[in-house]
């Protein structure tokens, strides 16, 4: 199972270090409003897919809260079927769907899970609900 903060599942983007810091910065800046994951990771971790309206705790390398996002869409598609509209909403600077596919295929290969055109990808769209310096210093995680 993935870690929890309170009742919220965590959203740990990319791999720890510079990549996670960059992706979190894009979310907190309102640029990144989507992320993609491998369906096989959910089965391996015994997790259900996110659902529209669910709130997730965005975390840093130490699993500390840096923000809360609300899921606005979830779709499972083949890697070759991911749309440019979705890829662009990831906000990572890709200039084409081909560039997005090359970058994501290389990333998943580096972390030990090569993908093919048929690999099932979980496409999650979200909106930033709450954030602050070092996360949310006070208040309700559900806000």
């Amino acid at each position: 199972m993935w870690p929890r903060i309170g009742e919220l599942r965590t959203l740990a983007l990319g791999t720890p270090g510079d990549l996670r810091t960059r992706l979190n910065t894009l979310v907190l800046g309102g640029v990144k409003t989507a992320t993609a994951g491998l369906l096989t990771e959910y089965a391996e971790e015994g997790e259900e897919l996110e659902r529209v309206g669910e709130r997730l705790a965005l975390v840093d390398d130490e699993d500390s809260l840096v923000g809360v996002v609300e899921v606005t869409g979830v779709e499972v598609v083949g890697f070759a079927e991911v749309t440019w509209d979705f890829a662009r909403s990831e906000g990572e600077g890709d200039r084409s769907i081909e560039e997005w596919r090359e970058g994501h295929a290389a990333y998943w290969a580096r972390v030990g899970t090569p993908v093919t055109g048929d690999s099932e990808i979980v496409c999650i769209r979200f909106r930033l609900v709450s954030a602050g310096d070092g996360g949310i210093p006070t208040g309700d995680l559900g806000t």
Side-chain angles (χ1 to χ4, degrees), residues 87-115:
R88 196 173 41 241
S89 68
E90 280 205 285
E92 298 174 25
D94 296 308
R95 294 168 294 199
S96 68
I97 189 62
E98 293 79 18
E99 188 175 311
W100 180 91
R101 287 191 182 115
E102 288 170 13
H104 280 69
Y107 168 78
W108 282 316
R110 273 194 315 277
V111 298
T113 313
V115 296

Side-chain angles (χ1 to χ4, degrees), residues 5-141:
I5 295 180
E7 297 292 318
L8 304 181
R9 289 195 277 181
T10 58
L11 176 60
L13 298 171
T15 51
D18 291 341
L19 178 58
R20 182 165 299 153
T21 299
R22 183 172 72 83
L23 296 177
N24 282 349
T25 299
L26 291 171
V27 171
L28 297 175
V31 174
K32 182 173 181 62
T33 60
T35 193
L38 299 172
L39 184 61
T40 56
E41 293 174 341
Y42 288 79
E44 290 167 3
E45 294 289 331
E47 287 288 344
E48 295 179 7
L49 292 179
E50 291 80 0
R51 63 189 182 290
V52 172
E54 180 179 5
R55 292 188 176 194
L56 306 171
L58 182 66
V59 297
D60 63 13
D61 290 348
E62 287 78 41
D63 288 331
S64 295
L65 182 67
V66 297
V68 174
V69 299
E70 182 176 327
V71 176
T72 60
V74 179
E75 182 178 21
V76 178
V77 299
F79 183 66
E81 303 306 313
V82 173
T83 66
W84 174 232
D85 179 63
F86 176 82
R88 196 173 41 241
S89 68
E90 280 205 285
E92 298 174 25
D94 296 308
R95 294 168 294 199
S96 68
I97 189 62
E98 293 79 18
E99 188 175 311
W100 180 91
R101 287 191 182 115
E102 288 170 13
H104 280 69
Y107 168 78
W108 282 316
R110 273 194 315 277
V111 298
T113 313
V115 296
T116 67
D118 294 331
S119 297
E120 292 182 298
I121 306 301
V122 181
C123 298
I124 302 167
R125 293 179 185 268
F126 55 80
R127 68 179 184 88
L128 183 64
V129 174
S130 189
D133 280 348
I136 302 171
T138 61
D140 178 5
L141 291 177

